[in-house]
Amino acid sequence: MNAPDQEPRSGAGEPRPTVEEVLLGGGRVHTRRDVVARTGVTAERTAQIWHALGFPVVDDDARVFTDADVDALRAGERLIEAGLITAESETMMARALGHHLSRLAEWQVSTLWAWMSRGPGVPGHGGEPVDHAAALLPEMERLQRHVWRRHLAAHAGRMAAAGEGFVPAGPGRPVGAAADGPTAAGEGTDVRELAVGFTDMVGYTRMTRGLDTAELGRVLDRFESLTGDVVAEGGGRVVKTIGDEVLFVCDSASASAGIALELTARVEEEKRLPKVRTGLAHGAVLIRFGDVYGGAVNVAARLTGVARPDTVLVDTAFAGELAGTAAYELKALRPVSVRGYNRLRPVVLRPRRRTGAR
């Protein structure tokens, strides 16, 4: 037997790695002072990046860093040397990566834990957690890398298609001045003319009062699955889901109108989901580390708040983009006062009825 204070052995006199060591690719062997000495990056900046990734700042003499941490910091320095990013934007990039990947990691660990906890006779039951981690981590990394590269290719294709006439922002010309193609607005950001949509479930709060957590999970899974499918089929991109609401963008108003109306029709067929409502707006949108900001985003959100169930509301700029489009009907409503806008004029969007239809 091993003494209580000894590491278990994996054979040939080697200590058996822990789950953390498998996940991190090694043990915590370096202090912050070691990292500074090995990379040449100041202690202040290493602490700033570490905190931006979502981890608590530690004492300079605490051994919490791995060889992989040192390599990652060196990789960031090489990106700075290449001119792709600056020291300032590196922190923003770290914050964006930490925000998105921490959510993914939380889901993956929960899924792995539930898989290992299944009863006898089910594949994956039993065994050492470290063995499962060692076997499955490469597969998870391979899948993530593939999906990441596919999205890189998709976004690169969209940027290339929209990039004709691209003019970087510069002195004397405000951000967003170039309407034809994306406009540089700072590292990690650009400004583009986009259609923005918010779709939310009506009566979600009231509905959740009568559901247990399992039922609520099924409702949210179905809502996210349906909205994701419809947005992808229509050529849009889901920016994020926030509980009962999904935010999406599209290059054209016509395509986003089709997405909104299709979402409404599909949800009407779903007995498990409450009715939805959608707000659409069109205009200059600041894209920053995967999220979107600007007046069009705010207007779309406000329109969603005043829309009735099974209704799609658009702003006048969006309606103007659809002028002459035979597939849709537009009906202007009275101006409304909402937070930030005293006279916001909603326009109801409907599919045009076919001739002879009753």
Side-chain angles (χ1 to χ4, degrees), residues 253-266 268 278 280 309-314 318 322 325-331 347-358:
S254 180
S256 61
I259 289 171
L261 294 172
E262 181 66 16
L263 276 173
T264 303
R266 294 260 195 109
E268 281 186 304
T278 300
L280 299 172
D310 293 332
T311 300
V312 178
L313 294 182
V314 308
F318 191 101
L322 293 182
T325 304
Y328 308 115
E329 291 181 355
L330 297 166
K331 180 182 178 181
V347 180
V348 178
L349 170 71
R350 299 189 183 97
R352 187 176 297 278
R353 296 179 181 179
R354 289 173 294 180
T355 304
R358 295 183 179 180

Side-chain angles (χ1 to χ4, degrees), residues 19-43:
V19 172
E20 181 184 78
E21 288 172 341
V22 171
L23 295 176
L24 295 180
R28 300 181 181 230
V29 296
H30 302 299
T31 67
R32 187 174 306 284
R33 298 182 194 278
D34 296 332
V35 173
V36 170
R38 289 169 177 266
T39 63
V41 180
T42 66

Side-chain angles (χ1 to χ4, degrees), residues 1-18:
M1 293 180 63
N2 293 320
D5 58 346
Q6 289 181 326
E7 290 279 356
R9 300 278 171 172
S10 59
E14 292 294 327
R16 184 178 179 81
T18 65

Side-chain angles (χ1 to χ4, degrees), residues 10-11 85 88 102 105 113 138 145 196 213 230 261 297 310:
S10 59
I85 61 175
E88 290 74 20
S102 66
W113 189 263
R145 184 171 61 249
V196 182
T213 54
V230 172
L261 294 172
V297 180
D310 293 332

